[in-house]
Amino acid sequence: VSLYFDPPPVAAATVLSIEAFAEYVSFARNECHPKLNDDAKSALIEGYVNMRKMSTSKNTISATPRQLESIVRISEAHAKMRLSETVEIIDVEEAMRLLRVATQSAATDPRTGRIDMDLINTGRSASSRIRTTQLVQLLKDKLDGRLQGGSISFANLLDIVQQEQAEVTTQELQAAVRQMADEDAIVTSGTGYNITISRGVRT
């Protein structure tokens, strides 16, 4: 029977031309200046406080005043897209969602699984810095006496460290060695895995 009936008409999607879209954006940018209403302010405060609560310690902060400013700006921009003079809860909720999505992959510490804004601000997580500090102390203990008048290869040092802490990676040990070299605690020659470590001026 269906062969004798025409299919229902399909509404064509409205597609703005580049010129119309540019005019829309220009109008929203120049003529629309939305302000947060009381409900949006409350939602903004609540969302920011919840992000701060994700922090596990004073060394790991999940949200900073800079992120708060970003949420406000994104909320205002979302309201402008609607040509609204008021920033509402839906704008704040969308801004929070966009920020979470944007920062989740870039700021997730692979060691802890938590968001650490230090990964974005400094390129290193708080747990990574703590780990490096711990390894530096371990290296000072291990190298004390081993570098008297001699040197040690990075490969041998890695073997020594992994005998005590098998989970230590090459990258983690390299970071600790670089920090000790920056502190003049040791002197290194060579590059990458093929470096040689000798006594520094401060050991």
Side-chain angles (χ1 to χ4, degrees):
V1 177
S2 62
L3 295 175
Y4 299 96
F5 290 91
D6 293 329
V10 178
T14 302
V15 179
L16 289 177
S17 65
I18 295 177
E19 293 76 11
F21 180 73
E23 290 179 3
Y24 184 94
V25 172
S26 178
F27 178 84
R29 179 181 298 166
N30 297 323
E31 304 297 333
C32 189
H33 306 285
K35 304 296 182 183
L36 282 87
N37 62 22
D38 291 339
D39 290 339
K41 290 178 181 178
S42 298
L44 184 65
I45 294 171
E46 181 180 358
Y48 179 71
V49 169
N50 288 337
M51 290 180 67
R52 295 281 296 187
K53 287 180 179 178
M54 293 177 64
S55 172
T56 56
S57 70
K58 65 180 181 180
N59 296 314
T60 305
I61 299 176
S62 300
T64 66
R66 180 177 297 180
Q67 275 67 54
L68 177 59
E69 294 173 0
S70 297
I71 296 170
V72 173
R73 289 195 298 268
I74 296 172
S75 299
E76 293 172 345
H78 191 264
K80 282 187 176 185
M81 289 175 57
R82 301 186 295 105
L83 299 181
S84 172
E85 291 297 329
T86 304
V87 178
E88 302 176 4
I89 292 179
I90 57 172
D91 302 308
V92 174
E93 289 177 343
E94 180 62 10
M96 296 290 295
R97 185 191 71 81
L98 289 172
L99 186 66
R100 284 195 298 268
V101 171
T103 58
Q104 185 171 7
S105 59
T108 299
D109 184 349
R111 180 177 291 276
T112 64
R114 301 189 66 85
I115 292 178
D116 184 348
M117 296 312 299
D118 280 354
L119 276 171
I120 292 179
N121 297 330
T122 67
R124 293 185 64 193
S125 66
S127 66
S128 175
R129 291 197 309 275
I130 293 172
R131 177 66 168 167
T132 299
T133 300
Q134 293 172 340
L135 280 176
V136 166
Q137 186 56 54
L138 176 63
L139 289 182
K140 289 179 179 179
D141 295 339
K142 294 297 182 182
L143 293 175
D144 186 27
R146 281 188 169 89
L147 297 182
Q148 297 291 342
S151 62
I152 186 173
S153 69
F154 180 85
N156 288 340
L157 180 61
L158 181 62
D159 289 339
I160 293 171
V161 172
Q162 287 183 337
Q163 288 176 8
E164 183 170 329
Q165 296 187 18
E167 73 280 4
V168 174
T169 66
T170 300
Q171 292 74 20
E172 289 174 336
L173 187 59
Q174 286 174 332
V177 168
R178 282 195 299 269
Q179 180 168 318
M180 291 185 67
D182 291 340
E183 297 172 354
D184 292 330
I186 58 175
V187 175
T188 62
S189 59
T191 59
Y193 191 81
N194 299 316
I195 65 174
T196 300
I197 302 162
S198 56
R199 189 177 179 86
V201 297
R202 295 180 55 185
T203 53

